[in-house]
Amino acid sequence: WRPASRAGRWRAPPPGPCGRRRETCATRPANEPSDCALSERRRMRLLTSLLLRSSAPGSGAGSGGGQGQQQLALPKVKCAHCGAIAVPDYRVKVRNLSSSLQRAYVPLYADAETLEYVNRSQRRLMSWHSWWYHWFLYHLVTLLRSRFSLTDANALLSRGEMFVLSTAHAEEMLAGGVGRAADGGHGVGGVLLDIGAGDGQVTQKLAPLFDAVVATEASAHMERRLRRRNFDVTLATTDLPEVVEVARSALAGHSKVNFDGEFDCIALLNVLDRCDKPLTLLKEVKSMLRPGGKLLLAVVLPFRPFVEDGTRRIPPTEKLGLPRNAGWELSVQMIVDKVFTPLELQVDRVARVPYYSTGNHMHPLYTLDDAVFVLSPMSSSSDVDEHSVLHGEFPAG
């Protein structure tokens, strides 16, 4: 029985910090089943139907993800920030960006490589033995975190696979910027340095575009997994001068590259919000690029940084002053105005992509909103748009 004063139309809850609407048991209509009300058998059937629907021939085709390409159907996944269950978003309100960022914006969509990763992650929970296996891993990680950081615990158990960019997306973002792509050839060429490469899954997507790959990781346990990828150089260090010296020695006899201590491209994917001194890191990285080189940077927005210090999570020493609950467009504009422009880094390209990570027995996938930038050092003749230097000022619309 419901009192008459409470009767009425159900209203959707307010949006969460990521702009999505939360869907919880307390806010759903009475006739709509909640996640906790669904039996495991029904949940398996739901995942199966989503998988089959997203793999259907009519759901889209093609690889890559530029303008004119159709987005492939993606199932709903859970946002790790606000807990919303929603289809990952590639859309951008371009009019809310400055004119220079509007020119740099590259629309990307879910391509075949992205869909293959999502479907493979969804299939992990399609059988009972797999469900119990991931249930066991989840609780084992909880125990290990009393002695290890989450990164180290995931490394020890071979968990935490992540996905940021497909190879086609990475090539599209870097196209025309460095190496062979500037001459219309396939790939980019030269030497790639990936800082904070994790287990190498994301680096593996970038590797086909370059002649040589140098990958570093702060966690010694994770670096052991990274070594299995057989990149040209792998190091468990955060000392970038050491990386240059080791790479110079290791690549001395390389048949395709003549490494002189400067990199053609440096990847910094989802590292800024997990390092203690992000501004210092960006300055060091900028000095390591060869003339014409590019910095491929991905950052989770809204920006909520912390540093893993053993089993503790502590705030970073250097603050970027970015809002914790701003929308994607405002966060992008602010990181350009407050961080990149003062460091004399210009935005050549920017895109929005979901940052996937494999989940647990409850949710096979989690996602966050990523902004992916291609940055290059400003030249003395670089034109800086007026909206890029006035904080918070956006074009009308």
Side-chain angles (χ1 to χ4, degrees):
W1 176 81
R2 295 178 66 192
S5 60
R6 285 188 163 184
R9 253 179 108 180
W10 174 78
R11 289 188 176 89
C18 300
R20 302 188 181 95
R21 296 193 178 275
R22 290 188 178 92
E23 294 184 6
T24 63
C25 303
T27 57
R28 291 172 182 246
N31 61 350
E32 184 179 338
S34 63
D35 286 341
C36 59
L38 290 172
S39 66
E40 282 303 317
R41 188 182 298 275
R42 291 178 64 194
R43 189 170 65 82
M44 293 296 180
R45 287 205 300 267
L46 176 61
L47 289 175
T48 304
S49 65
L50 287 172
L51 176 61
L52 293 175
R53 185 170 59 192
S54 61
S55 302
S59 62
S63 59
Q67 291 195 29
Q69 293 194 358
Q70 184 179 5
Q71 179 175 353
L72 301 181
L74 285 171
K76 294 181 179 181
V77 295
K78 186 169 184 176
C79 174
H81 268 169
C82 66
I85 308 293
V87 175
D89 209 346
Y90 287 84
R91 297 170 298 174
V92 172
K93 296 176 182 176
V94 181
R95 68 174 182 270
N96 290 344
L97 300 174
S98 67
S99 57
S100 60
L101 287 180
Q102 289 181 26
R103 292 192 295 269
Y105 170 64
V106 178
L108 297 180
Y109 306 98
D111 61 2
E113 199 171 342
T114 305
L115 185 63
E116 190 276 331
Y117 169 81
V118 172
N119 287 346
R120 177 161 46 84
S121 300
Q122 297 277 11
R123 283 196 294 268
R124 292 185 312 116
L125 299 184
M126 290 300 172
S127 63
W128 283 107
H129 71 273
S130 178
W131 187 92
W132 281 110
Y133 172 73
H134 290 286
W135 176 91
F136 174 73
L137 283 184
Y138 173 78
H139 290 283
L140 189 54
V141 165
T142 304
L143 291 174
L144 287 175
R145 289 190 66 183
S146 63
R147 294 188 57 188
F148 299 95
S149 67
L150 178 59
T151 300
D152 287 343
N154 282 334
L156 291 170
L157 298 176
S158 297
R159 289 179 79 248
E161 182 182 344
M162 297 178 180
F163 185 96
V164 180
L165 289 170
S166 67
T167 303
H169 284 166
E171 184 172 16
E172 181 164 354
M173 292 295 291
L174 293 168
V178 292
R180 291 190 298 263
D183 303 324
H186 179 72
V188 176
V191 183
L192 167 71
L193 168 62
D194 191 0
I195 300 173
D199 68 349
Q201 177 70 23
V202 178
T203 317
Q204 196 79 51
K205 304 296 182 184
L206 305 178
L209 304 178
F210 297 91
D211 297 317
V213 176
V214 179
T216 74
E217 172 54 42
S219 165
H221 295 289
M222 193 64 82
E223 191 268 342
R224 282 196 285 271
R225 290 180 61 187
L226 177 62
R227 214 178 303 156
R228 299 172 194 166
R229 303 281 180 181
N230 294 320
F231 297 128
D232 297 273
V233 182
T234 57
L235 283 170
T237 183
T238 57
D239 185 359
L240 294 185
E242 178 190 355
V243 172
V244 173
E245 291 307 313
V246 172
R248 196 195 305 270
S249 173
L251 299 177
H254 200 284
S255 60
K256 293 185 179 180
V257 298
N258 182 20
F259 183 67
D260 57 359
E262 294 180 323
F263 294 91
D264 299 271
C265 181
I266 298 178
L268 204 61
L269 304 178
N270 301 305
V271 173
L272 280 191
D273 58 344
R274 296 295 178 264
C275 70
D276 189 48
K277 297 181 178 180
L279 292 174
T280 302
L281 176 61
L282 285 173
K283 291 175 185 176
E284 282 191 85
V285 165
K286 179 185 172 185
S287 68
M288 295 166 64
L289 287 170
R290 71 163 179 81
K294 300 293 179 181
L295 169 59
L296 179 64
L297 184 144
V299 59
V300 173
L301 300 175
F303 192 74
R304 298 177 182 178
F306 66 81
V307 180
E308 288 186 338
D309 181 22
T311 59
R312 300 184 304 149
R313 291 183 174 183
I314 60 175
T317 303
E318 294 180 351
K319 314 290 184 185
L320 299 188
L322 301 176
R324 291 177 57 85
N325 292 321
W328 190 89
E329 292 81 5
L330 177 59
S331 296
V332 164
Q333 191 68 55
M334 291 190 72
I335 197 172
V336 171
D337 293 343
K338 289 192 169 188
V339 181
F340 300 154
T341 301
L343 292 176
E344 297 185 339
L345 289 169
Q346 69 180 16
V347 179
D348 297 330
R349 295 196 166 199
V350 60
R352 180 179 186 174
V353 298
Y355 171 32
Y356 289 107
S357 65
T358 51
N360 47 43
H361 63 293
M362 295 178 287
H363 297 281
L365 271 178
Y366 287 91
T367 186
L368 292 165
D369 279 330
D370 246 2
V372 179
F373 298 90
V374 175
L375 305 171
S376 59
M378 290 183 183
S379 62
S380 56
S381 60
S382 288
D383 232 4
V384 180
D385 185 85
E386 60 177 340
H387 293 294
S388 299
V389 296
L390 298 176
H391 299 302
E393 183 175 331
F394 304 100

